[in-house]
Amino acid sequence: MFYLFVRLVLRPLFRLAFRPTVVGRENVPLSGPVILASNHLSFIDSIAIPLMAPRRVSYLAKAEYWQGTGLKGWFTRTVFTALQAQPVERQTQRAATAALDTALAVLQAGGAFGIYPEGTRSRDGRLARGKTGVAWLALTANCPVVPVAVHGTDQVQPIGARWPRPARIRVTFGEPLTFPEHRGMAGKGRARREVTDRVMEAIAELSGQERAGWGTPSAAG
């Protein structure tokens, strides 16, 4: 009920403030497990995508977002809790494994999970090469990946800005990707790399971003 209330209240306010253009909502399956894999330009992405998607989407979010003080801290905790974001510590390998386990649990329960394959938001507007956790999730859960591109969110809340600023944004949901040729191969580094690169190619096509660091092959995720 809290989720529905905040979505009904926050979504109109979000539309009023940022006048978002949403493309391809019909590409997001309305039921069953699915990963929404997006570029990452701003803190606000983890609010924009769940509000503009046609179904509930869970995200991982830094645990610090639940630890803030004052009005901003209260607002951030309230919004992320309402949108069912999952707090995660990001400093250790154990935390990274726990984060993937949390995401997998959402998918195995038939939910939608949002992820940023780059691992962190872009500081120069370019699209970094994806880490292979997205492929491990997709192959382990045997679910489609919907590539997503956000535009303009870096103008809403640039790095270092304390509060969002009015700006136009766009969220584009691409056609779902499936990987039947790699089914059952989540444990193979080459398969994870190939799946991740396909996802990132689709995101790059939607976002139009310049690519950064795509020339070094890696099977690490």
Side-chain angles (χ1 to χ4, degrees):
M1 290 298 294
F2 187 38
Y3 168 83
L4 292 176
F5 173 76
V6 171
R7 187 176 173 93
L8 289 173
V9 171
L10 195 57
R11 196 179 204 181
L13 291 176
F14 192 89
R15 288 187 178 279
L16 181 64
F18 307 120
R19 296 170 293 163
T21 298
V22 183
V23 179
R25 280 168 53 94
E26 68 279 3
N27 288 323
V28 180
L30 297 181
S31 62
V34 63
I35 297 168
L36 274 60
S38 176
N39 62 332
H40 193 17
L41 300 177
S42 169
F43 157 86
I44 210 76
D45 298 337
S46 297
I47 298 174
I49 295 172
L51 287 178
M52 296 299 103
R55 62 181 289 188
R56 185 176 303 190
V57 181
S58 295
Y59 267 90
L60 296 177
K62 294 187 297 184
E64 298 94 286
Y65 291 149
W66 278 262
Q67 299 165 3
T69 59
L71 179 60
K72 183 179 179 181
W74 172 85
F75 176 80
T76 303
R77 283 195 304 276
T78 300
V79 169
F80 277 123
T81 299
L83 293 177
Q84 292 197 325
Q86 307 291 323
V88 62
E89 301 286 349
R90 303 195 305 173
Q91 285 75 22
T92 67
Q93 183 61 41
R94 176 181 291 184
T97 301
L100 287 176
D101 288 343
T102 298
L104 183 60
V106 171
L107 295 169
Q108 289 177 333
F113 195 85
I115 191 171
Y116 304 114
E118 295 171 274
T120 187
R121 63 179 171 176
S122 173
R123 292 185 171 271
D124 60 8
R126 298 188 297 168
L127 187 69
R129 198 179 195 204
K131 300 180 184 298
T132 62
V134 63
W136 183 86
L137 282 174
L139 296 177
T140 302
N142 191 27
C143 70
V145 177
V146 172
V148 183
V150 291
H151 296 82
T153 54
D154 51 340
Q155 301 302 311
V156 171
Q157 191 158 20
I159 293 173
R162 289 182 57 83
W163 290 97
R165 306 168 183 177
R168 293 294 299 271
I169 71 171
R170 184 166 80 251
V171 181
T172 304
F173 299 97
E175 295 184 2
L177 303 174
T178 58
F179 314 97
E181 70 277 19
H182 294 302
R183 183 169 297 166
M185 300 173 68
K188 297 184 179 297
R190 183 183 181 89
R192 294 198 307 271
R193 184 73 263 166
E194 290 177 357
V195 167
T196 301
D197 286 348
R198 277 188 59 192
V199 171
M200 296 308 297
E201 289 281 356
I203 294 173
E205 185 175 343
L206 294 174
S207 72
Q209 290 169 275
E210 179 184 348
R211 303 173 188 188
W214 286 39
T216 304
S218 170

mmCIF file of all heavy atoms in Angstrom, residues 38-41 118 122 124-130 199-205 207-214:
data_model
loop_
_atom_site.group_PDB
_atom_site.id
_atom_site.type_symbol
_atom_site.label_atom_id
_atom_site.label_comp_id
_atom_site.label_asym_id
_atom_site.label_seq_id
_atom_site.Cartn_x
_atom_site.Cartn_y
_atom_site.Cartn_z
ATOM 1 N N SER A 38 20.564 -0.505 -17.379
ATOM 2 C CA SER A 38 20.586 0.881 -17.846
ATOM 3 C C SER A 38 21.968 1.512 -17.753
ATOM 4 O O SER A 38 22.814 1.100 -16.941
ATOM 5 C CB SER A 38 19.599 1.702 -17.004
ATOM 6 O OG SER A 38 19.644 3.075 -17.350
ATOM 7 N N ASN A 39 22.177 2.545 -18.588
ATOM 8 C CA ASN A 39 23.304 3.443 -18.334
ATOM 9 C C ASN A 39 23.023 4.203 -17.041
ATOM 10 O O ASN A 39 21.910 4.160 -16.506
ATOM 11 C CB ASN A 39 23.511 4.398 -19.509
ATOM 12 C CG ASN A 39 22.320 5.315 -19.772
ATOM 13 O OD1 ASN A 39 21.171 4.993 -19.483
ATOM 14 N ND2 ASN A 39 22.582 6.474 -20.336
ATOM 15 N N HIS A 40 24.021 4.899 -16.530
ATOM 16 C CA HIS A 40 23.868 5.513 -15.205
ATOM 17 C C HIS A 40 24.531 6.885 -15.203
ATOM 18 O O HIS A 40 25.758 6.985 -15.241
ATOM 19 C CB HIS A 40 24.503 4.600 -14.157
ATOM 20 C CG HIS A 40 24.156 4.934 -12.742
ATOM 21 N ND1 HIS A 40 23.087 5.734 -12.388
ATOM 22 C CD2 HIS A 40 24.750 4.569 -11.567
ATOM 23 C CE1 HIS A 40 23.024 5.837 -11.071
ATOM 24 N NE2 HIS A 40 24.032 5.146 -10.549
ATOM 25 N N LEU A 41 23.700 7.923 -15.136
ATOM 26 C CA LEU A 41 24.198 9.291 -15.202
ATOM 27 C C LEU A 41 24.026 10.058 -13.905
ATOM 28 O O LEU A 41 24.710 11.061 -13.686
ATOM 29 C CB LEU A 41 23.476 10.060 -16.323
ATOM 30 C CG LEU A 41 23.613 9.501 -17.742
ATOM 31 C CD1 LEU A 41 22.779 10.332 -18.716
ATOM 32 C CD2 LEU A 41 25.072 9.480 -18.177
ATOM 33 N N GLU A 118 27.579 -0.814 -15.695
ATOM 34 C CA GLU A 118 28.845 -0.088 -15.577
ATOM 35 C C GLU A 118 29.395 -0.157 -14.147
ATOM 36 O O GLU A 118 30.589 0.021 -13.929
ATOM 37 C CB GLU A 118 28.672 1.371 -15.958
ATOM 38 C CG GLU A 118 28.308 1.596 -17.422
ATOM 39 C CD GLU A 118 27.930 3.032 -17.671
ATOM 40 O OE1 GLU A 118 26.733 3.376 -17.460
ATOM 41 O OE2 GLU A 118 28.804 3.820 -18.062
ATOM 42 N N SER A 122 28.428 7.447 -14.622
ATOM 43 C CA SER A 122 29.427 8.084 -15.464
ATOM 44 C C SER A 122 29.712 9.503 -14.970
ATOM 45 O O SER A 122 28.794 10.256 -14.667
ATOM 46 C CB SER A 122 28.930 8.141 -16.915
ATOM 47 O OG SER A 122 29.802 8.899 -17.712
ATOM 48 N N ASP A 124 31.769 11.528 -16.878
ATOM 49 C CA ASP A 124 32.085 12.336 -18.062
ATOM 50 C C ASP A 124 31.070 12.166 -19.190
ATOM 51 O O ASP A 124 31.272 12.651 -20.299
ATOM 52 C CB ASP A 124 33.489 12.006 -18.572
ATOM 53 C CG ASP A 124 33.657 10.534 -18.960
ATOM 54 O OD1 ASP A 124 32.652 9.799 -18.989
ATOM 55 O OD2 ASP A 124 34.808 10.120 -19.230
ATOM 56 N N GLY A 125 29.967 11.454 -18.905
ATOM 57 C CA GLY A 125 28.928 11.274 -19.917
ATOM 58 C C GLY A 125 29.176 10.122 -20.861
ATOM 59 O O GLY A 125 28.310 9.789 -21.680
ATOM 60 N N ARG A 126 30.353 9.482 -20.775
ATOM 61 C CA ARG A 126 30.637 8.346 -21.641
ATOM 62 C C ARG A 126 30.138 7.041 -21.020
ATOM 63 O O ARG A 126 29.897 6.973 -19.821
ATOM 64 C CB ARG A 126 32.138 8.263 -21.930
ATOM 65 C CG ARG A 126 32.680 9.482 -22.678
ATOM 66 C CD ARG A 126 34.118 9.270 -23.108
ATOM 67 N NE ARG A 126 35.009 9.101 -21.975
ATOM 68 C CZ ARG A 126 36.276 8.672 -22.073
ATOM 69 N NH1 ARG A 126 36.772 8.355 -23.266
ATOM 70 N NH2 ARG A 126 37.023 8.553 -20.988
ATOM 71 N N LEU A 127 29.993 6.017 -21.856
ATOM 72 C CA LEU A 127 29.472 4.729 -21.409
ATOM 73 C C LEU A 127 30.629 3.761 -21.214
ATOM 74 O O LEU A 127 31.344 3.413 -22.169
ATOM 75 C CB LEU A 127 28.489 4.169 -22.440
ATOM 76 C CG LEU A 127 27.735 2.894 -22.046
ATOM 77 C CD1 LEU A 127 26.736 3.182 -20.930
ATOM 78 C CD2 LEU A 127 27.006 2.318 -23.267
ATOM 79 N N ALA A 128 30.846 3.333 -19.982
ATOM 80 C CA ALA A 128 31.933 2.402 -19.679
ATOM 81 C C ALA A 128 31.539 0.979 -20.073
ATOM 82 O O ALA A 128 30.356 0.652 -20.217
ATOM 83 C CB ALA A 128 32.274 2.458 -18.193
ATOM 84 N N ARG A 129 32.539 0.126 -20.217
ATOM 85 C CA ARG A 129 32.278 -1.279 -20.518
ATOM 86 C C ARG A 129 31.606 -1.941 -19.324
ATOM 87 O O ARG A 129 31.961 -1.675 -18.174
ATOM 88 C CB ARG A 129 33.580 -2.002 -20.841
ATOM 89 C CG ARG A 129 33.349 -3.326 -21.584
ATOM 90 C CD ARG A 129 34.652 -3.999 -21.920
ATOM 91 N NE ARG A 129 34.444 -5.049 -22.915
ATOM 92 C CZ ARG A 129 35.251 -6.085 -23.072
ATOM 93 N NH1 ARG A 129 36.309 -6.207 -22.284
ATOM 94 N NH2 ARG A 129 35.006 -6.994 -23.990
ATOM 95 N N GLY A 130 30.628 -2.784 -19.570
ATOM 96 C CA GLY A 130 29.862 -3.376 -18.488
ATOM 97 C C GLY A 130 30.612 -4.455 -17.727
ATOM 98 O O GLY A 130 31.443 -5.171 -18.287
ATOM 99 N N VAL A 199 24.450 -6.752 -24.106
ATOM 100 C CA VAL A 199 23.609 -5.822 -23.349
ATOM 101 C C VAL A 199 24.135 -4.400 -23.487
ATOM 102 O O VAL A 199 23.377 -3.459 -23.737
ATOM 103 C CB VAL A 199 23.559 -6.240 -21.862
ATOM 104 C CG1 VAL A 199 22.864 -5.162 -21.028
ATOM 105 C CG2 VAL A 199 22.838 -7.577 -21.707
ATOM 106 N N MET A 200 25.450 -4.225 -23.348
ATOM 107 C CA MET A 200 26.027 -2.887 -23.427
ATOM 108 C C MET A 200 25.914 -2.299 -24.830
ATOM 109 O O MET A 200 25.721 -1.092 -24.992
ATOM 110 C CB MET A 200 27.488 -2.917 -22.973
ATOM 111 C CG MET A 200 27.691 -3.298 -21.509
ATOM 112 S SD MET A 200 26.703 -2.317 -20.343
ATOM 113 C CE MET A 200 27.391 -0.673 -20.627
ATOM 114 N N GLU A 201 26.029 -3.128 -25.852
ATOM 115 C CA GLU A 201 25.835 -2.652 -27.224
ATOM 116 C C GLU A 201 24.422 -2.098 -27.395
ATOM 117 O O GLU A 201 24.217 -1.055 -28.021
ATOM 118 C CB GLU A 201 26.074 -3.788 -28.222
ATOM 119 C CG GLU A 201 27.517 -4.218 -28.367
ATOM 120 C CD GLU A 201 28.334 -3.287 -29.260
ATOM 121 O OE1 GLU A 201 27.745 -2.337 -29.820
ATOM 122 O OE2 GLU A 201 29.551 -3.502 -29.366
ATOM 123 N N ALA A 202 23.449 -2.795 -26.823
ATOM 124 C CA ALA A 202 22.060 -2.342 -26.932
ATOM 125 C C ALA A 202 21.849 -1.036 -26.176
ATOM 126 O O ALA A 202 21.145 -0.128 -26.657
ATOM 127 C CB ALA A 202 21.115 -3.423 -26.401
ATOM 128 N N ILE A 203 22.450 -0.918 -24.993
ATOM 129 C CA ILE A 203 22.337 0.327 -24.227
ATOM 130 C C ILE A 203 22.994 1.470 -24.998
ATOM 131 O O ILE A 203 22.449 2.580 -25.081
ATOM 132 C CB ILE A 203 22.983 0.169 -22.838
ATOM 133 C CG1 ILE A 203 22.201 -0.836 -21.994
ATOM 134 C CG2 ILE A 203 23.046 1.521 -22.119
ATOM 135 C CD1 ILE A 203 22.867 -1.179 -20.669
ATOM 136 N N ALA A 204 24.168 1.210 -25.579
ATOM 137 C CA ALA A 204 24.882 2.246 -26.334
ATOM 138 C C ALA A 204 24.063 2.717 -27.532
ATOM 139 O O ALA A 204 24.023 3.904 -27.849
ATOM 140 C CB ALA A 204 26.237 1.709 -26.798
ATOM 141 N N GLU A 205 23.396 1.788 -28.197
ATOM 142 C CA GLU A 205 22.561 2.150 -29.346
ATOM 143 C C GLU A 205 21.401 3.046 -28.923
ATOM 144 O O GLU A 205 21.047 4.003 -29.612
ATOM 145 C CB GLU A 205 22.040 0.891 -30.027
ATOM 146 C CG GLU A 205 21.251 1.165 -31.300
ATOM 147 C CD GLU A 205 20.850 -0.104 -32.030
ATOM 148 O OE1 GLU A 205 21.429 -1.165 -31.748
ATOM 149 O OE2 GLU A 205 19.947 -0.033 -32.889
ATOM 150 N N SER A 207 21.316 4.951 -26.084
ATOM 151 C CA SER A 207 21.762 6.183 -25.416
ATOM 152 C C SER A 207 22.546 7.115 -26.325
ATOM 153 O O SER A 207 22.587 8.326 -26.097
ATOM 154 C CB SER A 207 22.612 5.839 -24.190
ATOM 155 O OG SER A 207 23.882 5.345 -24.565
ATOM 156 N N GLY A 208 23.210 6.540 -27.344
ATOM 157 C CA GLY A 208 24.041 7.357 -28.220
ATOM 158 C C GLY A 208 25.316 7.855 -27.561
ATOM 159 O O GLY A 208 25.987 8.741 -28.098
ATOM 160 N N GLN A 209 25.695 7.284 -26.422
ATOM 161 C CA GLN A 209 26.880 7.753 -25.711
ATOM 162 C C GLN A 209 28.172 7.276 -26.365
ATOM 163 O O GLN A 209 28.230 6.198 -26.952
ATOM 164 C CB GLN A 209 26.862 7.245 -24.260
ATOM 165 C CG GLN A 209 25.815 7.860 -23.373
ATOM 166 C CD GLN A 209 25.710 7.115 -22.066
ATOM 167 O OE1 GLN A 209 24.998 6.105 -21.976
ATOM 168 N NE2 GLN A 209 26.421 7.587 -21.042
ATOM 169 N N GLU A 210 29.208 8.081 -26.209
ATOM 170 C CA GLU A 210 30.550 7.661 -26.588
ATOM 171 C C GLU A 210 30.982 6.557 -25.631
ATOM 172 O O GLU A 210 30.667 6.587 -24.441
ATOM 173 C CB GLU A 210 31.510 8.844 -26.487
ATOM 174 C CG GLU A 210 32.947 8.514 -26.829
ATOM 175 C CD GLU A 210 33.881 9.690 -26.612
ATOM 176 O OE1 GLU A 210 33.380 10.820 -26.416
ATOM 177 O OE2 GLU A 210 35.119 9.469 -26.616
ATOM 178 N N ARG A 211 31.716 5.591 -26.135
ATOM 179 C CA ARG A 211 32.152 4.467 -25.323
ATOM 180 C C ARG A 211 33.522 4.740 -24.709
ATOM 181 O O ARG A 211 34.368 5.369 -25.338
ATOM 182 C CB ARG A 211 32.197 3.198 -26.163
ATOM 183 C CG ARG A 211 30.849 2.894 -26.800
ATOM 184 C CD ARG A 211 30.917 1.748 -27.759
ATOM 185 N NE ARG A 211 29.674 1.604 -28.492
ATOM 186 C CZ ARG A 211 29.396 0.588 -29.287
ATOM 187 N NH1 ARG A 211 30.276 -0.372 -29.453
ATOM 188 N NH2 ARG A 211 28.232 0.524 -29.904
ATOM 189 N N ALA A 212 33.727 4.253 -23.495
ATOM 190 C CA ALA A 212 34.993 4.452 -22.808
ATOM 191 C C ALA A 212 35.506 3.133 -22.246
ATOM 192 O O ALA A 212 34.782 2.442 -21.521
ATOM 193 C CB ALA A 212 34.813 5.447 -21.658
ATOM 194 N N GLY A 213 36.727 2.745 -22.612
ATOM 195 C CA GLY A 213 37.345 1.563 -22.030
ATOM 196 C C GLY A 213 36.799 0.233 -22.522
ATOM 197 O O GLY A 213 36.863 -0.758 -21.811
ATOM 198 N N TRP A 214 36.265 0.196 -23.745
ATOM 199 C CA TRP A 214 35.706 -1.044 -24.264
ATOM 200 C C TRP A 214 36.753 -1.919 -24.946
ATOM 201 O O TRP A 214 36.448 -3.011 -25.421
ATOM 202 C CB TRP A 214 34.590 -0.756 -25.263
ATOM 203 C CG TRP A 214 33.324 -0.287 -24.612
ATOM 204 C CD1 TRP A 214 33.210 0.550 -23.554
ATOM 205 C CD2 TRP A 214 31.998 -0.613 -24.999
ATOM 206 N NE1 TRP A 214 31.892 0.778 -23.260
ATOM 207 C CE2 TRP A 214 31.115 0.077 -24.134
ATOM 208 C CE3 TRP A 214 31.449 -1.402 -26.014
ATOM 209 C CZ2 TRP A 214 29.733 -0.019 -24.243
ATOM 210 C CZ3 TRP A 214 30.080 -1.495 -26.124
ATOM 211 C CH2 TRP A 214 29.221 -0.812 -25.228
#
